[in-house]
Amino acid sequence: MKTRDLDIEDNILFNNLKDIREINNLKQKDLASLLGVSRPNYTRWETRVNIIPLEKLNTLCNYFEVDMNYAVGINRNYKKMGKDNILDKK
């Protein structure tokens, strides 16, 4: 889905993708490999051209133990979730 198809006032999701990558000292090609996509495809997610599919966002959050609420902008504090916290959320 192209972002121009959506009424997006805040680019939190896109900024948070970049934040997660930079906090973990990774390059776009590293996350692309982790998510099983090409680097140009990943770059489109981070640069607001396309929206990251929920399945890929979930993979990213689980891998880095990041709360999905942070990734989508509900919670604005970057916080790694421990395994116990993840299980408590189910």
Side-chain angles (χ1 to χ4, degrees):
M1 175 180 289
K2 300 277 187 189
T3 58
R4 69 176 175 258
D5 298 334
L6 300 174
D7 182 21
I8 298 177
E9 295 179 9
D10 197 345
N11 295 309
I12 293 171
L13 172 62
F14 308 104
N15 292 333
N16 288 351
L17 285 176
K18 185 175 181 180
D19 288 347
I20 291 168
R21 179 176 62 78
E22 290 178 344
I23 286 168
N24 289 283
N25 297 313
L26 296 172
K27 298 181 186 268
Q28 288 181 342
K29 69 178 183 172
D30 299 324
L31 282 188
S33 178
L34 169 74
L35 297 171
V37 299
S38 67
R39 190 209 44 82
N41 195 36
Y42 175 82
T43 300
R44 287 183 199 105
W45 299 336
E46 201 174 277
T47 58
R48 302 171 178 88
V49 174
N50 291 341
I51 304 279
I52 184 171
L54 185 57
E55 166 189 323
K56 299 295 186 184
L57 182 61
N58 189 49
T59 298
L60 181 92
C61 289
N62 285 335
Y63 183 84
F64 290 109
E65 298 179 357
V66 174
D67 186 348
M68 177 90 65
N69 288 331
Y70 167 77
V72 298
I74 294 170
N75 178 353
R76 298 203 181 229
N77 297 316
Y78 180 86
K79 177 182 169 189
K80 284 200 167 198
M81 296 193 53
K83 298 284 186 208
D84 294 335
N85 290 339
I86 291 170
L87 294 175
D88 288 343
K89 298 286 181 190
K90 292 184 179 180

